[in-house]
Amino acid sequence: MDYSEYDRLKKQLSFNLKEENAIRSLNIQPDAFLPVLFSLKFGGDWSFKTRDLEALAVKEKITRYHEDKKEGYTLERVTLLVNPRVTDTEGRILRLEKCGNKKERELVERPYRVELQADDIILAELNPGSMEIVLKRMEGPLFFEGSAAYGVSHEMEHLEGLETSGKYLWEFNYRVE
């Protein structure tokens, strides 16, 4: 093993220990935090279910751009909901979506707004500007709209053991103007 690979491995192990300490300090089941870890490491929204636990993480991206400096960063806000419950939905949006379980994108219907409550809610903010991941508890209910609401709806289907299916992209027609 060369020095650079060894150094990278040490940094990863150190990060994993910090992660473990953060989870322990939140005083939650470690399995409940898995959707957040997946969202931070692989991107996207995630859900996880066991016999005694349901957990969902939804990611929102917020770009902070300083016009005068012509620079900025994209903050990733990942909200963890432990044993989430949808309390209200509003609207109807048709959108193409691809689930990791399927090979192709499908046209599905999602709500535009979703209201949720959960047994425990933790916000994780990943800030590339400060190189920090800040964790804090939140009180519900929470409201999501647009892309975040679609993500919540999709992940809730996974937790409920449902699978939406719709029309495939190849069922669309081209029109050239």
Side-chain angles (χ1 to χ4, degrees):
M1 180 183 311
D2 66 24
Y3 178 73
S4 62
E5 188 177 335
Y6 175 72
D7 192 44
R8 187 175 66 86
L9 184 59
K10 278 184 13 183
K11 287 179 183 177
Q12 286 177 326
L13 290 172
S14 174
F15 181 78
N16 290 346
L17 286 173
K18 291 175 194 173
E19 211 167 53
E20 188 178 324
N21 289 336
I23 293 167
R24 193 176 298 118
S25 71
L26 290 169
N27 198 28
I28 65 169
Q29 276 184 264
D31 286 352
F33 206 71
L34 282 174
V36 172
L37 298 178
F38 287 178
S39 185
L40 294 175
K41 291 180 180 182
F42 309 119
D45 306 320
W46 291 83
S47 55
F48 179 78
K49 181 178 182 175
T50 66
R51 192 168 37 98
D52 304 317
L53 167 80
E54 292 184 349
L56 178 155
V58 61
K59 180 189 283 191
E60 299 171 277
K61 295 179 182 180
I62 302 149
T63 298
R64 305 265 163 87
Y65 183 69
H66 304 287
E67 194 67 48
D68 56 329
K69 295 179 183 177
K70 305 290 186 218
E71 63 184 29
Y73 61 90
T74 298
L75 180 80
E76 293 185 6
R77 183 175 288 158
V78 179
T79 306
L80 172 67
L81 298 119
V82 179
N83 297 321
R85 300 171 299 284
V86 173
T87 53
D88 195 22
T89 64
E90 178 186 308
R92 177 178 165 263
I93 301 294
L94 295 175
R95 66 187 305 264
L96 280 168
E97 173 175 295
K98 180 177 178 318
C99 178
N101 300 337
K102 296 187 177 185
K103 293 180 181 176
E104 298 181 66
R105 293 173 68 193
E106 293 178 303
L107 179 66
V108 297
E109 183 179 304
R110 297 283 176 217
Y112 180 71
R113 287 190 184 94
V114 176
E115 178 183 343
L116 293 120
Q117 190 56 274
D119 293 349
D120 204 0
I121 303 170
I122 297 170
L123 179 66
E125 285 189 338
L126 186 143
N127 185 327
S130 66
M131 299 284 294
E132 287 183 314
I133 302 169
V134 177
L135 304 171
K136 56 186 164 188
R137 276 215 154 66
M138 306 270 300
E139 292 293 321
L142 295 184
F143 302 86
F144 295 96
E145 68 178 40
S147 290
Y150 316 146
V152 165
S153 176
H154 179 98
E155 296 306 324
M156 286 298 292
E157 282 179 358
H158 286 302
L159 293 176
E160 294 167 0
L162 303 173
E163 194 168 304
T164 296
S165 62
K167 295 183 186 260
Y168 295 100
L169 181 62
W170 43 264
E171 295 181 69
F172 279 55
N173 292 309
Y174 278 101
R175 185 177 78 212
V176 179
E177 294 182 352

